[in-house]
Amino acid sequence: MTELPKAYDPAAVEPDLYEDWRTAGLFHADPDDDGDPYSIVIPPPNVTGSLHVGHALDNTIQDVLIRRARMVGNNAVWIPGMDHAGIATQMVVEKQLAAQGKTRHDLGRERFVERVWEWKEESGGAILRQLQTLGCSLDWEREAFTFDGPRNLAVTKVFVELYDQGLIYRGARLINWDPVLHTALSDIEVDHEEVDGELVHFRYPFADGDDSDGLVVATTRAETMLGDTAIAVHPDDERYRHLVGRTVRHPFLDRTFPVIADDYVDPEFGSGAVKITPAHDPNDYQIGLRHDLPMIDIMDDDAVITDVGGRFAGLGRYDARAAIKQALDEAGLLIRSEPHRHQVGHSSRSKAAVEPRLSDQWFVKVGPLAERAIAAVKDGDVRIVPQRNAKAFLDWLENLHDWCISRQLWWGHRIPAWHHQDTGEIRVSAEPIDEDGWVQDPDVLDTWFSSQLWPFVVFGWPEETADLKRWYPTSTLVTGYDINTFWVSRMLMIGLWFTDSVPFHVIYNHGLVRDEHGKKMSKSFGNVIDPLDLVDEYGADATRFALLRSAATGTDVPLAEEWVEGTKRFANKLWNTCRFALSNLEGTMPGDVPPRDDLALEDRWILSRLEAVRSEVDAGYDAYDWPVAARGLYHFVWDEFADWYVEAVKVRIYGDDREAAARRVLAIVLDDVLRLLHPMMPFVTEALWRALTGAAGGTDSLMVAAWPQGRADDRDVDAETDFAVLQDLVTQTNRFRSQNSIAPSKRFDLTVASDRRELIDAQQELVSSLARLSGVTCVRTIEERDGTSTIQLASGQAQVDLTGLIDVAAELERLRKELDSARADLAKVTGKLANTSFVERAPADVVERERHKQRDAKAAIAQLEERIAALEVMQGTGQS
RNA sequence: GGGGCGUUAGCUCAGUUGGUUAGAGCGCUUGCUCGACACGCAAGAGGUCGCAGGUUCGACUCCUGCACGCCCCACCA
């Protein structure tokens, strides 16, 4: 048996164990192995990524699920991999080029993409290596990449089939344009932020009148008036009904357009008349379609006004906004402008304000896909945990717009479509078209188009591989709720469409990791915690366990460094409990529970508690309730096993009464605890388990040991009740000792009158040891005597003879001194709080602290006075 | 504008189908080199469970309203 160091040192244990597991092949799964299939695919981190606490939580949870599944006997696999992360990655490399004063256009497309690949090879995937330090038991032989060969083939196949089915189409639609990255974006890549703007009221003159007459409109985006092609009013609006059909004249451009009526217009807002810019506003676009209005794109890719803007051509959109306002004013058309807060869409990548723009793009028609996904959720084919997230998920699926999938980028899956240069004809094909006049579409696909295929392409789809048959559909998808829309819903839709199966049976949503006060972690707040720093400082087990302890299902996870520190102490506690056991086991192995007659009360008690906790912890794991599982084990190990059982068992181990049974029970409990704890704290449990069982390592590992089955017969309510009586007796005695300043080393006799007299009588030795008594005498009734003190018990009373135990005079003197100082404290604080300028001007928390001090001092005084009175009675100086 | 979540000890959170003195960790106070552990042991202080009503013999727990906070979604110029 190995000698364990006095304190647990994670750094000395973790890296070697990971390497040992890996070389023994314990992470690798074989589809031909026995056991029910259990599979998880990692949400592929971006190649640009490095491990942050969100990843740490997400992957710890997956590792917990996989490790437990293995121990339960499933044929479990966890697939690693990465996402090529189109925009994000392209931006990183473009930034590197910018540092050299270059753009991607200087390199050209081919060279640029090569450059991204080079970068991917050298620095991509750091995050997967970081996951190893966290202990993640991923099957490294199955690593996949969304942009590698097999995945490319699958993406092309999916695109072509969807196109053939009429579910992918190309067309001019209003899309979100990112004027910085020069690409279209999907709706969910746009974040709405509140912005302070201006609502500008101005007048469009009638075509047949002068500038003093006309129709007043209001807008937050004056520059878009260059693309106006109508003015809309509500059909029932009495103020304007008679104007419908009239024509207005553009003040700066040689153009006239009509006043139209449309229900969309809210008569209450602004002037009740809306300028319509179909090419630059989603609502106006719809109105434009309904009324067959011309759609005039007034901006170029940089959101700069083009020649259609007449004298405003060449101005950026914000400069144009100011210039037009001024021009309106000069023309006498500006009525007024007022401050106006409103929501403006921003690119989630470049943060630039998105420009709604009419553009030729590729779209996925999502209706038919969404229908099946909705049905799968409603029918329970896929279960969302927590259930309440299902509503938002369904709402989103039920209100989908078609998905713009083309991106004007270079890094990503090239769209398998070819355009004829002369005819403009389009052909979509899995094979390159190598004929004269045909050129491939320059655009690439939205990065989520490929990642939506992840759960089946990692197993080799469209090939009918053994892996695919064995592990698809996957068991559980673990993600934060923040990407349910981006990713999860799309996997569900496309999975159902192409594999006729849900891609996962359960969607488990954890919360987002926040700082200790529940605030979002962000670099600008300076509250970011790096999980790798935590691992360095406290170990991977502590980091994992701390995250799990606060990861209540679906709610955000507050993380403070102190908690991780506290968890490290728990690991150390476990370590030392094992150290005690190991140094006393004398070769005893875990095995069958000894015959009942050989067991002492504390044995039956701890076995009963173990069984209770095992079942609670198991239920916690089953319900994805990590805090319950973690707390259950923490409490059991520390407060029951270490604090009570280990102390109790010393009587027999250091003596010679049924010590064999004691050793056996010690080994059994530890063995089960280590197994139950292993998915959450894999390293320390493995190290200790090897020491306990003598396991050689390699394939002889806790990682693949059997999950505890439980022994229902071990539940022993009588033992628990009886032991609680002893615990109460010991606790009350300790309390008495502490309150009377009796040194812990001072032993004394206890006389007990209890309705559990026989029990206490039989357990005298145990009680004496735990409460550090010289003896326990059980009597029928306590007789009040001078010089004794009584302790109240849940089951009766105990009596202590104070003669010689306490130096009454000295104790009185000590207490009186304490009382004096407590009174002085109180006076000081009370004086401070009586000072009105302090109470009014000092910060609230400082005042609150003073109030606390005041309350504390008062409580202390009351208690001291009581004890002094009691001692005075004993001394004969008080009044009884 | 729609929807969701939360409000319990100084801080972060538990609290099972409503049932005697509402729990944990951290922090705080006091004492302790007891043959696993000072990353420890023992004891202690600290809460009118956001506010106002209601149901009930009884509510932190159920209902209604309000307040505050957080989050998601959303095409009102």
Side-chain angles (χ1 to χ4, degrees):
Chain A
M1 215 150 294
T2 339
E3 269 297 309
L4 298 178
K6 194 167 171 180
Y8 174 53
D9 177 14
V13 167
E14 293 177 354
D16 291 347
L17 277 180
Y18 194 88
E19 210 34 52
D20 188 54
W21 288 327
R22 183 183 187 151
T23 50
L26 298 184
F27 299 154
H28 184 59
D30 188 323
D32 294 330
D33 281 350
D34 292 338
D36 293 336
Y38 187 91
S39 56
I40 296 178
V41 293
I42 196 171
N46 290 353
V47 279
T48 55
S50 65
L51 192 74
H52 63 68
V53 273
H55 292 120
L57 173 66
D58 191 56
N59 289 287
T60 294
I61 290 171
Q62 293 172 69
D63 197 41
V64 169
L65 290 170
I66 278 289
R67 283 180 184 272
R68 178 155 173 269
R70 270 190 214 104
M71 292 176 76
V72 165
N74 290 332
N75 181 204
V77 70
W78 185 17
I79 309 288
M82 282 177 295
D83 195 305
H84 68 287
I87 297 187
T89 309
Q90 174 156 336
M91 276 178 70
V92 168
V93 177
E94 283 192 277
K95 217 173 259 176
Q96 293 170 356
L97 290 177
Q100 303 165 14
K102 290 191 204 160
T103 73
R104 69 188 211 242
H105 300 282
D106 294 330
L107 294 190
R109 182 163 189 153
E110 204 171 317
R111 183 68 197 97
F112 177 78
V113 171
E114 271 172 34
R115 178 73 190 262
V116 181
W117 273 109
E118 282 164 23
W119 181 83
K120 184 260 170 189
E121 293 306 331
E122 77 186 40
S123 59
I127 186 168
L128 293 182
R129 291 190 290 278
Q130 291 170 334
L131 289 177
Q132 298 174 3
T133 66
L134 208 58
C136 293
S137 55
L138 290 145
D139 187 347
W140 296 105
E141 292 170 47
R142 289 191 161 83
E143 189 178 334
F145 183 48
T146 53
F147 200 21
D148 63 15
R151 266 46 73 172
N152 266 325
L153 289 175
V155 166
T156 303
K157 178 184 167 70
V158 165
F159 186 97
V160 172
E161 287 190 14
L162 286 176
Y163 180 81
D164 289 343
Q165 292 162 1
L167 293 177
I168 281 182
Y169 64 91
R170 182 175 170 82
R173 296 287 185 281
L174 199 76
I175 49 88
N176 308 295
W177 183 259
D178 184 328
V180 170
L181 297 173
H182 290 177
T183 180
L185 300 172
S186 67
D187 291 346
I188 50 178
E189 286 167 303
V190 175
D191 300 328
H192 295 271
E193 283 168 42
E194 202 149 80
V195 165
D196 283 314
E198 256 188 339
L199 191 60
V200 174
H201 297 250
F202 71 92
R203 182 168 58 232
Y204 265 117
F206 292 123
D208 51 5
D210 61 30
D211 283 358
S212 63
D213 192 18
L215 190 50
V216 175
V217 296
T219 180
T220 54
R221 303 192 57 206
E223 71 279 13
T224 61
M225 62 94 73
L226 298 171
D228 285 354
T229 54
I231 292 175
V233 298
H234 193 93
D236 300 335
D237 193 333
E238 296 296 342
R239 294 170 297 175
Y240 300 124
R241 191 186 276 176
H242 65 286
L243 298 177
V244 173
R246 285 194 69 172
T247 303
V248 298
R249 150 172 75 79
H250 201 289
F252 309 129
L253 299 170
D254 185 17
R255 203 160 79 221
T256 62
F257 42 85
V259 177
I260 60 171
D262 195 286
D263 284 340
Y264 161 74
V265 178
D266 174 6
E268 304 295 317
F269 190 90
S271 67
V274 190
K275 57 186 274 307
I276 302 300
T277 322
H280 289 282
D281 181 277
N283 298 306
D284 295 6
Y285 176 70
Q286 292 303 325
I287 291 175
L289 287 178
R290 282 200 285 277
H291 298 269
D292 200 21
L293 300 172
M295 303 194 178
I296 305 172
D297 188 349
I298 61 167
M299 296 183 200
D300 66 11
D301 289 355
D302 291 308
V304 169
I305 306 297
T306 59
D307 288 346
V308 301
R311 60 175 152 128
F312 300 101
L315 292 176
R317 50 188 167 162
Y318 299 115
D319 291 341
R321 185 175 301 173
I324 283 171
K325 187 181 163 192
Q326 196 188 342
L328 285 167
D329 196 13
E330 287 163 3
L333 297 170
L334 181 68
I335 309 299
R336 67 174 195 277
S337 70
E338 58 204 33
H340 183 66
R341 275 182 83 75
H342 63 138
Q343 301 280 339
V344 175
H346 290 75
S347 163
S348 59
R349 284 295 163 193
S350 72
K351 305 300 173 199
V354 157
E355 186 61 45
R357 215 182 153 204
L358 199 59
S359 176
D360 270 325
Q361 301 288 344
W362 291 91
F363 296 86
V364 172
K365 186 175 169 186
V366 291
L369 299 169
E371 268 175 41
R372 294 188 65 175
I374 290 165
V377 174
K378 286 188 174 163
D379 297 347
D381 294 340
V382 61
R383 187 161 66 93
I384 299 176
V385 179
Q387 186 59 41
R388 64 166 181 272
N389 285 11
K391 186 175 158 41
F393 195 82
L394 281 171
D395 280 353
W396 193 78
L397 283 173
E398 283 164 358
N399 293 294
L400 271 184
H401 296 191
D402 281 359
W403 173 20
C404 175
I405 50 169
S406 42
R407 297 288 179 277
Q408 288 66 54
L409 304 170
W410 288 351
W411 174 246
H413 302 84
R414 190 88 174 255
I415 290 177
W418 280 259
H419 302 258
H420 192 95
Q421 283 173 305
D422 302 328
T423 65
E425 192 188 338
I426 293 173
R427 273 162 65 183
V428 168
S429 160
E431 298 302 320
I433 298 176
D434 196 11
E435 299 167 29
D436 277 355
W438 290 91
V439 293
Q440 187 171 8
D441 194 297
D443 291 353
V444 302
L445 288 163
D446 181 1
T447 208
W448 300 101
F449 189 88
S450 53
S451 41
Q452 68 180 339
L453 314 178
W454 191 246
F456 47 94
V457 294
V458 294
F459 295 118
W461 186 92
E463 302 296 322
E464 275 283 321
T465 63
D467 283 9
L468 189 69
K469 283 186 211 152
R470 182 63 165 158
W471 286 304
Y472 185 82
T474 65
S475 308
T476 304
L477 179 82
V478 179
T479 83
Y481 56 77
D482 55 329
I483 54 172
N484 278 357
T485 48
F486 281 91
W487 188 48
V488 182
S489 64
R490 285 170 177 164
M491 284 190 288
L492 185 58
M493 289 190 276
I494 214 74
L496 284 162
W497 198 261
F498 280 93
T499 69
D500 272 323
S501 161
V502 291
F504 24 70
H505 295 297
V506 176
I507 298 165
Y508 172 73
N509 279 157
H510 56 253
L512 308 182
V513 183
R514 295 173 179 277
D515 77 1
E516 59 195 302
H517 300 298
K519 280 214 184 91
K520 209 167 193 165
M521 284 192 193
S522 90
K523 281 173 200 155
S524 52
F525 291 150
N527 62 352
V528 174
I529 297 177
D530 184 341
L532 293 170
D533 289 346
L534 296 180
V535 173
D536 277 350
E537 181 84 28
Y538 308 106
D541 286 331
T543 305
R544 295 165 59 117
F545 200 71
L547 284 165
L548 293 167
R549 272 171 87 182
S550 43
T553 305
T555 64
D556 287 345
V557 182
L559 176 70
E561 190 158 338
E562 294 96 82
W563 299 17
V564 187
E565 195 182 339
T567 307
K568 189 193 172 192
R569 279 187 250 166
F570 173 62
N572 191 60
K573 186 73 185 180
L574 182 69
W575 183 265
N576 274 291
T577 309
C578 285
R579 244 163 55 90
F580 165 81
L582 289 169
S583 62
N584 291 292
L585 282 182
E586 296 176 2
T588 308
M589 285 288 169
D592 293 335
V593 175
R596 212 133 188 89
D597 288 349
D598 291 352
L599 296 178
L601 172 62
E602 62 268 25
D603 297 332
R604 288 185 285 120
W605 170 75
I606 198 67
L607 287 168
S608 181
R609 292 302 309 142
L610 173 65
E611 176 54 19
V613 168
R614 185 206 59 77
S615 114
E616 179 194 340
V617 164
D618 226 15
Y621 277 114
D622 282 338
Y624 301 90
D625 195 336
W626 323 117
V628 159
R631 274 198 302 264
L633 285 164
Y634 183 98
H635 177 253
F636 177 77
V637 168
W638 204 313
D639 302 338
E640 296 188 313
F641 187 54
D643 284 353
W644 288 98
Y645 185 72
V646 165
E647 292 307 318
V649 90
K650 282 176 182 173
V651 178
R652 284 184 291 156
I653 291 210
Y654 295 151
D656 56 359
D657 174 34
R658 287 179 293 180
E659 72 274 19
R663 292 195 180 99
R664 176 54 64 87
V665 173
L666 210 43
I668 289 172
V669 175
L670 264 181
D671 183 47
D672 274 359
V673 160
L674 292 173
R675 289 171 199 248
L676 291 169
L677 213 38
H678 180 260
M680 296 190 278
M681 306 185 91
F683 292 110
V684 68
T685 51
E686 175 82 67
L688 291 172
W689 194 76
R690 288 186 185 179
L692 175 71
T693 62
T699 54
D700 189 6
S701 159
L702 176 58
M703 227 188 107
V704 286
W707 192 251
Q709 287 305 300
R711 295 170 295 264
D713 290 350
D714 284 358
R715 281 315 298 272
D716 186 337
V717 178
D718 290 344
E720 293 200 28
T721 311
D722 289 354
F723 200 76
V725 169
L726 304 187
Q727 285 179 305
D728 176 59
L729 180 52
V730 171
T731 301
Q732 294 307 331
T733 305
N734 280 340
R735 182 187 178 143
F736 171 82
R737 188 191 287 275
S738 180
Q739 291 202 331
N740 290 283
S741 307
I742 301 168
S745 53
K746 183 88 178 171
R747 290 179 175 262
F748 54 88
D749 278 310
L750 204 61
T751 308
V752 181
S754 161
D755 47 19
R756 300 307 310 278
R757 229 171 68 222
E758 297 76 10
L759 168 72
I760 294 168
D761 206 30
Q763 299 292 341
Q764 277 189 44
E765 201 186 350
L766 181 60
V767 171
S768 297
S769 167
L770 293 175
R772 307 196 158 272
L773 297 169
S774 46
V776 179
T777 313
C778 286
V779 296
R780 213 166 279 278
T781 48
I782 298 270
E783 289 169 28
E784 289 289 338
R785 284 186 291 122
D786 282 348
T788 66
S789 192
T790 306
I791 302 172
Q792 287 304 322
L793 304 174
S795 64
Q797 289 185 320
Q799 189 180 46
V800 181
D801 190 341
L802 292 172
T803 317
L805 249 192
I806 296 178
D807 180 340
V808 178
E811 183 69 0
L812 265 175
E813 193 182 343
R814 192 181 67 80
L815 291 175
R816 282 177 182 140
K817 261 188 204 161
E818 258 187 60
L819 181 62
D820 285 345
S821 101
R823 280 179 174 150
D825 286 350
L826 179 64
K828 207 169 136 192
V829 179
T830 306
K832 216 167 174 181
L833 285 169
N835 180 346
T836 37
S837 73
F838 168 76
V839 175
E840 280 162 19
R841 294 198 196 143
D845 60 321
V846 172
V847 176
E848 192 51 35
R849 215 177 303 146
E850 292 301 319
R851 293 225 162 87
H852 258 272
K853 269 193 211 165
Q854 189 181 35
R855 259 181 300 183
D856 287 355
K858 279 180 182 166
I861 289 167
Q863 207 178 44
L864 285 167
E865 285 173 341
E866 201 177 307
R867 283 171 57 195
I868 287 169
L871 286 177
E872 281 171 343
V873 170
M874 219 165 111
Q875 201 185 35
T877 56
Q879 302 151 359
S880 45

